Amino acid sequence: MKTVILTIGIFMFTPVLSTASDNGNELNVAQPATHVTNGVAKGTGMGVAKGTGMGVARGSGLDADQEVVQDSQGNTYQTVQIGGQIWLAENLRTTTFQDGTTVNTGFIPDDDEKNLLPYGRLYDWHDVVDERNICPPGWRVASDNDWKALERAIGIAEPEVNKEGWRGQNDIAITLKAHQPNTVFKEFDQSQVNKYQFSARPAGVKLANWYLTQGMYSEFWTSSSAAKKEAYARTLAYSWWNSHKGEIRRTPLKKSYMLSVRCVKN
């Protein structure tokens, strides 16, 4: 599948083929437990999930005290607590709703299976808000207000939280990113990268048949509508030339765009 690299509505670049790496750095992605026997998910990467049905379990990947959750398709996810919320620490990978019916989108970036674990799948907003629920049982797609609560918890000032556009000071965005290399123009405090173990990765977006901006942007849907054809999203930037790498963007995007999804515990 041909991939075009651009910033939605801002810049256009020469087409290139993207890869499953973050700005040229190879990804080291833990393998989740995916084999389930009698309600026990067994694996070597992210701990052992014990429970019944679609239950919750303790994990050993990010933090021994964090939960590992399983979606209706059997995929397992690390979780992380940020402020008073518990979030998935990975992008959603399911192709079914909680009732087992199939989602309409849910594409792997570049249609490349190697991208599934690091980047998850890309969904349009209609799948995101479908009443059958795309998240694991007991979880929901994060709303605009859920993201605002996260942003307050990591230190974005209250006057900025409700604004649209790029927000945040002191490179606050890198505390949510799995990786943020230094560039020729800027050095980052690497001790702050992924401080909250949110592990955001730049999966990019899909528009119609085109995969865009992989390696350049993380784009996350919220469940909150902004207008008839738009809904709120969050963006993190990664490219060496982008001056907003330390900020988080709150912006409405077209509901037909396919973005990454994070869930938060009810």
Side-chain angles (χ1 to χ4, degrees), residues 14-29:
T14 304
V16 301
L17 293 179
S18 57
T19 60
S21 62
D22 288 354
N23 294 298
N25 294 333
E26 293 297 323
L27 298 179
N28 182 14
V29 182

Side-chain angles (χ1 to χ4, degrees), residues 19-192:
T19 60
S21 62
D22 288 354
N23 294 298
N25 294 333
E26 293 297 323
L27 298 179
N28 182 14
V29 182
Q31 301 294 322
T34 55
H35 177 65
V36 180
T37 304
N38 296 326
V40 178
K42 299 177 180 181
T44 59
M46 294 186 177
V48 177
K50 298 181 179 180
T52 58
M54 296 295 113
V56 176
R58 298 295 178 182
S60 59
L62 294 177
D63 189 316
D65 293 328
Q66 293 303 325
E67 298 172 334
V68 174
V69 298
Q70 189 177 60
D71 65 28
S72 59
Q73 199 171 34
N75 301 297
T76 57
Y77 305 89
Q78 288 283 0
T79 67
V80 63
Q81 183 167 345
I82 302 175
Q85 300 171 306
I86 298 178
W87 290 73
L88 292 188
E90 306 171 59
N91 292 347
L92 201 63
R93 300 190 298 273
T94 188
T95 59
T96 62
F97 296 107
Q98 286 186 11
D99 66 0
T101 54
T102 303
V103 301
N104 293 314
T105 53
F107 294 95
I108 302 172
D110 284 350
D111 298 321
D112 187 341
E113 288 290 333
K114 295 192 300 293
N115 289 336
L116 178 59
L117 280 178
Y119 293 132
R121 293 180 181 270
L122 305 174
Y123 306 88
D124 71 14
W125 190 79
H126 303 289
D127 277 341
V128 165
V129 297
D130 193 289
E131 63 182 7
R132 290 169 289 181
N133 198 343
I134 201 171
C135 290
W139 293 68
R140 65 182 183 274
V141 175
S143 67
D144 189 44
N145 284 336
D146 289 324
W147 275 94
K148 289 178 184 179
L150 178 150
E151 290 161 348
R152 292 185 186 99
I154 67 174
I156 293 184
E158 189 63 33
E160 290 191 281
V161 167
N162 293 310
K163 292 181 179 179
E164 293 185 6
W166 293 99
R167 305 157 304 141
Q169 305 295 321
N170 302 316
D171 294 330
I172 196 72
I174 71 172
T175 65
L176 299 180
K177 296 180 181 181
H179 302 283
Q180 180 56 74
N182 295 326
T183 73
V184 294
F185 300 110
K186 184 175 178 62
E187 291 189 2
F188 295 91
D189 182 352
Q190 294 298 317
S191 70
Q192 295 299 301

Side-chain angles (χ1 to χ4, degrees), residues 105 123-126 206-208 221 229-230 253-259:
T105 53
Y123 306 88
D124 71 14
W125 190 79
H126 303 289
K206 186 180 185 189
L207 305 185
W221 273 130
K229 295 184 178 181
E230 295 182 325
L253 295 177
K254 291 184 178 180
K255 293 176 179 178
S256 60
Y257 291 2
M258 287 163 265
L259 314 182

